[in-house]
Amino acid sequence: MRLSHRGTHPLVAVTALLCALLSPTHAGASEGPDASGEVVRLYEEASAATVRYEAGRRAAKAQRAKVRKLDRLLTKQRHVVDVLHDDLGRMARAQYRTGGGLPQTAQLLLADSPEELMRGQRLMGQADLAVTNAVDKSQRAAARLSTAKRTADRAKRTLDRRSARLAKLKRGIESKLASAQWTLQSEADRSVAAGRCRGAVRLDQPETASTRAWTTPVETYELSAGFDSAGARWTHRHTGQDFAVGIGAPVRAVGDGRVESVSCGGGFGIEVVVAHKNGYYTQYAHLAAAAVDQGERVRAGQWVGQAGTTGNSTGPHLHLEVRLTPYLGSAVDPEKWLAERGVGL
């Protein structure tokens, strides 16, 4: 899949998405030209919801890894405390066996000298203090780790709940998008059946900073049937390059030019043909709607329509042809033609 090069509004707030989802304008797929705009709006909302959902999912995954790491550290620290407690017990038992349990008077009587007695007691006291300090230090470390783990657990649960809400929101928007897409397609099918285009649908296209002379006809896509492919669906061989995209996805002019024709009906369904200054023509077929009129000047990257599945089509896609004339039968390989102009598919 080829990823979009245009920003997808990653900073759109969840509350804004919820408002959009619950807004009356999105209560159901609308009839008429508004269906085109609704699909575009929902595409943007779905894209923003996906970005936020993926960010939340990654954050929750990282938090779960942190909790697992803290679990391991806590287990290790508790083991250290247990070992120190065992060591202290062994030292206490050894002290008892060597006289540590005798009264002070007996120790004085049995010691070879007062100096030996004092030295033994001092060493034993130092050992006791060292072990006690080590145990206290380990217990404090274990307590800190335990507190950190509880905090991390709470954060993980919060992130999981947030991810679940975002996933539900994303599914809701995608459901509305699917409904709007098929409303748009139904309108397109009626236009094609009547052989009468309903006129250009003017879409609110976002500003782009690109200054490239040539571009791909869609932003996010999978390549399907290629030029010169053989197949039962075509009379001879495939005359263009197909891009698998969703219904309503904006279709862009690959370069500057003038709209040669906009037509409905026939095997190509709703189609737009653009004439370019270099003598070539590009055709955008099986559209759900046209966003330009005949004779209109267009620039590279400008939306000329919305993808669909009108005409001789087995599923939503854009059929792009590059021709030497405006007419069928003069096509050249679009992939090679675009590559010569610095655009890779």
Side-chain angles (χ1 to χ4, degrees):
M1 178 174 285
R2 308 302 166 94
L3 299 179
S4 167
H5 297 289
R6 182 169 58 81
T8 53
H9 313 300
L11 299 180
V12 175
V14 175
T15 52
L17 291 175
L18 283 168
C19 289
L21 183 61
L22 300 175
S23 169
T25 59
H26 294 91
S30 63
E31 294 293 333
D34 284 347
S36 289
E38 183 177 10
V39 169
V40 171
R41 288 192 299 272
L42 286 169
Y43 261 119
E44 292 299 314
E45 289 181 17
S47 178
T50 298
V51 168
R52 292 189 65 83
Y53 168 72
E54 288 300 316
R57 184 186 59 80
R58 288 192 297 270
K61 181 179 179 181
Q63 192 64 42
R64 282 192 288 272
K66 181 179 179 180
V67 170
R68 288 194 296 270
K69 182 179 179 181
L70 285 169
D71 266 332
R72 290 192 296 270
L73 289 173
L74 188 56
T75 299
K76 182 178 179 180
Q77 196 64 46
R78 284 171 176 162
H79 176 70
V80 169
V81 173
D82 291 341
V83 168
L84 287 170
H85 274 296
D86 289 343
D87 288 345
L88 183 59
R90 283 194 297 271
M91 292 180 69
R93 289 191 294 274
Q95 182 182 7
Y96 179 81
R97 286 195 298 270
T98 57
L102 293 176
Q104 185 84 7
T105 304
Q107 291 184 35
L108 287 170
L109 292 172
L110 295 175
D112 293 336
S113 68
E115 291 79 8
E116 180 184 354
L117 175 63
M118 296 299 292
R119 183 169 61 253
Q121 288 184 329
R122 185 168 59 253
L123 290 174
M124 187 59 68
Q126 290 173 348
D128 285 347
L129 181 61
V131 172
T132 300
N133 288 340
V135 170
D136 288 344
K137 182 178 179 181
S138 294
Q139 287 177 333
R140 288 195 298 272
R144 288 195 298 270
L145 277 174
S146 183
T147 299
K149 182 180 179 299
R150 287 195 298 271
T151 301
D153 275 331
R154 286 196 297 270
K156 179 184 74 69
R157 290 192 294 270
T158 298
L159 286 168
D160 284 340
R161 288 194 297 270
R162 178 174 178 268
S163 293
R165 288 196 300 271
L166 288 170
K168 183 178 180 180
L169 173 63
K170 180 172 173 285
R171 288 193 300 271
I173 293 174
E174 288 172 347
S175 175
K176 287 181 177 292
L177 173 59
S179 176
Q181 284 175 319
W182 288 108
T183 296
L184 176 61
Q185 183 61 42
S186 296
E187 294 173 359
D189 289 338
R190 288 196 293 271
S191 295
V192 171
R196 184 175 63 255
C197 292
R198 60 189 178 101
V201 175
R202 300 303 177 180
L203 302 171
D204 185 15
Q205 179 174 348
E207 292 293 330
T208 59
S210 176
T211 57
R212 297 185 61 180
W214 302 94
T215 188
T216 56
V218 285
E219 287 186 298
T220 303
Y221 58 87
E222 289 183 359
L223 295 176
S224 48
F227 180 74
D228 213 25
S229 301
R233 295 192 302 275
W234 310 300
T235 305
H236 299 290
R237 299 182 75 83
H238 194 229
T239 54
Q241 174 64 58
D242 286 351
F243 299 78
V245 291
I247 294 171
V251 173
R252 311 182 294 190
V254 298
D256 294 351
R258 180 182 57 82
V259 179
E260 179 75 14
S261 64
V262 178
S263 58
C264 301
F268 287 119
I270 298 175
E271 61 172 318
V272 173
V273 177
V274 175
H276 302 282
K277 293 179 181 178
N278 58 8
Y280 288 94
Y281 297 81
T282 51
Q283 178 214 28
Y284 311 83
H286 305 305
L287 302 177
V292 290
D293 288 319
Q294 183 173 341
E296 186 175 333
R297 291 283 178 182
V298 294
R299 64 186 186 281
Q302 179 179 336
W303 294 353
V304 297
Q306 291 175 279
T309 182
T310 54
N312 182 20
S313 171
T314 58
H317 73 285
L318 167 69
H319 174 87
L320 173 71
E321 282 193 23
V322 177
R323 299 172 175 175
L324 298 172
T325 73
Y327 310 110
L328 180 65
S330 61
V332 299
D333 188 344
E335 187 168 7
K336 293 181 179 177
W337 186 83
L338 285 170
E340 291 171 359
R341 287 153 181 79
V343 179
L345 298 180

